[in-house]
Amino acid sequence: MDQTTPNSLPDIRHTFTFNAPIQKVWDAVATSEGMEAWFMPNDFQPIEGAEFYLDAGPWGKNLCKVTELDPPNRLSFKWAKSWVITFELRDLGGSTEFTLTHAGWDAADKGPHTNMSRGWGEIGQRLGKYVEA
């Protein structure tokens, strides 16, 4: 659900369909090794409440916290200031629908919001190449 207010920007949401079983996609999005292959270096642990770092290279290491874990369907985590990233997976019988939502944008983030919307589209494509290989 989009939480847009007068002082915020809409959530970024991208949906992809991958020709890969749900467990393979889950392993790619909910393990440290999987995330590193398509997203960025991290020390993620699939434990609700666990804190971890995403290494965003020139933007530094960002503290994150797992807020929801429902294998193999949903993972949410807080990232940096007020962002919430959610990965939702739906089994399509041999393929997987993957929806990525990046919420928590305030109105001052218009430039980064535009860049991240484009960036998440590219990152989602990298995930697809990784799980379909």
Side-chain angles (χ1 to χ4, degrees):
M1 173 189 261
D2 200 340
Q3 300 295 319
T4 304
T5 68
N7 295 319
S8 68
L9 296 170
D11 295 348
I12 295 170
R13 183 171 288 111
H14 290 281
T15 299
F16 304 88
T17 301
F18 301 134
N19 187 22
I22 193 169
Q23 190 61 52
K24 185 172 185 181
V25 178
W26 179 255
D27 290 344
V29 302
T31 66
S32 178
E33 299 81 12
M35 272 193 204
E36 187 165 351
W38 62 276
F39 187 31
M40 62 181 67
N42 65 86
D43 61 352
F44 174 82
Q45 294 179 43
I47 301 167
E48 196 165 322
E51 292 185 339
F52 66 99
Y53 286 94
L54 289 174
D55 186 346
W59 296 277
K61 288 188 175 183
N62 297 170
L63 182 62
C64 300
K65 183 176 184 178
V66 178
T67 57
E68 185 176 359
L69 189 69
D70 178 20
N73 302 301
R74 187 177 173 93
L75 166 65
S76 290
F77 58 91
K78 290 184 181 179
W79 180 14
K81 49 183 185 170
S82 60
W83 291 338
V84 177
I85 308 300
T86 302
F87 301 147
E88 296 175 282
L89 289 72
R90 189 165 66 102
D91 188 350
L92 301 177
S95 61
T96 304
E97 181 181 87
F98 174 77
T99 300
L100 180 151
T101 304
H102 184 159
W105 294 95
D106 64 45
D109 290 330
K110 189 168 177 104
H113 182 273
T114 300
N115 291 338
M116 287 297 291
S117 183
R118 185 175 37 252
W120 278 123
E122 294 168 4
I123 290 167
Q125 291 175 5
R126 286 199 317 245
L127 172 60
K129 289 178 184 174
Y130 176 70
V131 298
E132 292 178 350

